[in-house]
Amino acid sequence: MPPPSDAGPDMEFDNSFEVPLPPAKAWPVLMDIRRVATCMPGAELTEVVDDRTYKGKIGVRLGPVALSFAGLVKFEEIDDAGHKARVRAQGDDAKGRGAAQAMATFRLEPSGAGSKVLVHTDLSLSGAVAQYGRGVGMIQATAAALINQFAGNLKTEIAARGASPSTAAVAPAASASVGTAASTVSPPPAAKPISGFALMARVLWDSILRLFRGRERA
């Protein structure tokens, strides 16, 4: 019998949120990485490698376990005209408990007076963190909670600073000299990590909903 793998199952899930800007104005805001990084709970941008590659950190909580990942985020495809992009992210837990890899695609579509952002994520965990994330419902609830808080922070940011991208982020590649070592940026204030209590409440609620839906189908 082969030894058990320390890799968890690949997980795919979809999330969406809305922003109060039409696609043509929402797109440059979402592509302003330095700006939106401050809106993601527990995230911190640490380095601009080039105009499509960034290094950063993010802290997340899976149940009672607090994890901190440091890694690389790279835009593999950007379709400005179609308002679509594909991003690959990979990171290692700071305490050596495993790693995470994700491929996310997102796109904008008109929605009322603003835009809806649709995100599809393919996530893979390995090492001990794969055991923490065995419950797919836990991962989905974590992702949903992060996206919801990110959306709220982004709307607040847009209201406070308007739709124009920040001057520092209009041309991120300018921060990295061509043919030289990558530059280190002054990290913006990281968004507050998501509340563990709020996350557990979300997981419990999702479990109750799945239970009732199962009974209805039966």
Side-chain angles (χ1 to χ4, degrees), residues 109-134:
E109 61 180 33
S111 177
S115 303
K116 177 176 283 189
V117 185
L118 300 118
V119 186
H120 178 79
T121 306
D122 188 342
L123 174 68
S124 177
L125 302 175
S126 60
V129 296
Q131 301 299 322
Y132 305 148
R134 283 292 183 187

Side-chain angles (χ1 to χ4, degrees), residues 68-104:
S68 178
F69 291 96
L72 195 71
V73 176
K74 182 178 180 62
F75 282 85
E76 295 198 336
E77 180 182 350
I78 298 176
D79 178 358
D80 290 324
H83 301 143
K84 297 184 294 185
R86 185 175 72 247
V87 182
R88 182 182 295 277
Q90 57 186 45
D92 297 305
D93 176 61
K95 295 184 178 179
R97 292 172 291 186
Q101 295 189 44
M103 177 71 78

